[in-house]
Amino acid sequence: MTTTTGRPADHGVLPATAPEERSPAVVLMHPARRVAQLLLGLVGFGVATAMMLHSGQGAMPWAVLDQGIVDRTGLAYGWVVLGIGLLVMLAWIPLRQRPGVGTVANIIVISLVIDPALWVLERLLPTPGLPAGIALALGGIVLLGVSTAAYVGARFGPGPRDGLMTGLVQQTGWPVWLVKTGIEVGVVLLGVLLGGTFGWATVVFAFGVGPVVQVSARWLAPSGLTGHH
């Protein structure tokens, strides 16, 4: 485990601040802030997803799949997000992953937020042109990165898709980048086949959201993104 400064969290002799660095986020973050950060992060995640979907410039990988299913079934996005989240959680069983409060909140809050957010965007910008679409897509990527750092930094448990990735890494021994890339390429291909929108914003998201999460984690994840509860 490493700290947010990149130093190993456990080396033998450390400065007087070492116990704080090894302590969980519960010590470094007030419980009320953790709850608020979790909920605001999930709300922000839902709004950011809606921004990218409405931009018409390409959605994040899992949202491409959601969009394809919506186009084929006519269901509301919220129901599709909820259904996919529950199905992904079923895959946790053979992978021996344990959900947390944040895992359940992730599915419920994002499912509830995304349709109202899309409704507001459709009234404000019924048919966004290219400049507005670019602004929505880039703004969505930044907001999604900050929101991810917020809800992960609160340490109430991973989202269902994050748990799928970590479970596969643990079971296969494959590197994180390979598992994550494989999952996201797979869901994008399936989403495109179903009618989801793949665009430049999908590619920018793949390369750009990580740095946003890392920078945001300096303030939103005091013990680092890889710390334990």
Side-chain angles (χ1 to χ4, degrees):
M1 183 179 75
T2 59
T3 64
T4 52
T5 59
R7 292 175 295 147
D10 199 355
H11 300 277
V13 179
L14 289 173
T17 56
E20 268 195 348
E21 292 179 352
R22 291 195 300 271
S23 296
V26 176
V27 175
L28 298 176
M29 189 185 297
H30 192 278
R33 175 185 162 181
R34 291 179 67 206
V35 173
Q37 190 169 300
L38 171 70
L39 294 177
L40 289 173
L42 294 176
V43 169
F45 194 100
V47 172
T49 303
M51 290 171 65
M52 292 191 69
L53 286 168
H54 192 61
S55 73
Q57 306 301 310
M60 57 184 285
W62 282 95
V64 175
L65 176 60
D66 296 335
Q67 189 178 44
I69 295 173
V70 168
D71 289 345
R72 290 300 181 98
T73 64
L75 293 171
Y77 274 100
W79 285 110
V80 172
V81 171
L82 178 65
I84 293 294
L86 293 174
L87 286 174
V88 170
M89 278 195 66
L90 288 177
W92 284 31
I93 298 172
L95 296 174
R96 300 177 181 177
Q97 297 295 292
R98 294 182 179 180
V101 173
T103 309
V104 178
N106 181 292
I107 298 173
I108 295 173
V109 174
I110 294 174
S111 299
L112 290 174
V113 166
I114 192 166
D115 283 315
L118 284 168
W119 184 87
V120 171
L121 288 170
E122 286 165 3
R123 271 109 194 115
L124 293 176
L125 291 167
T127 53
L130 184 59
I134 292 173
L136 280 171
L138 294 178
I141 291 169
V142 173
L143 178 58
L144 198 144
V146 174
S147 299
T148 298
Y151 84 76
V152 172
R155 305 203 187 290
F156 280 108
R161 295 155 185 81
D162 299 324
L164 175 64
M165 178 191 69
T166 56
L168 287 171
V169 168
Q170 290 170 7
Q171 294 296 319
T172 63
W174 296 343
V176 172
W177 72 266
L178 180 61
V179 173
K180 182 175 176 61
T181 301
I183 291 173
E184 296 196 346
V185 167
V187 298
V188 165
L189 290 176
L190 181 57
V192 170
L193 290 174
L194 291 172
T197 303
F198 175 87
W200 65 265
T202 310
V203 178
V204 172
F205 172 88
F207 290 98
V209 74
V212 176
V213 172
Q214 187 65 40
V215 171
S216 304
R218 296 176 184 176
W219 296 277
L220 299 172
S223 61
L225 287 173
T226 58
H228 297 288
H229 283 72

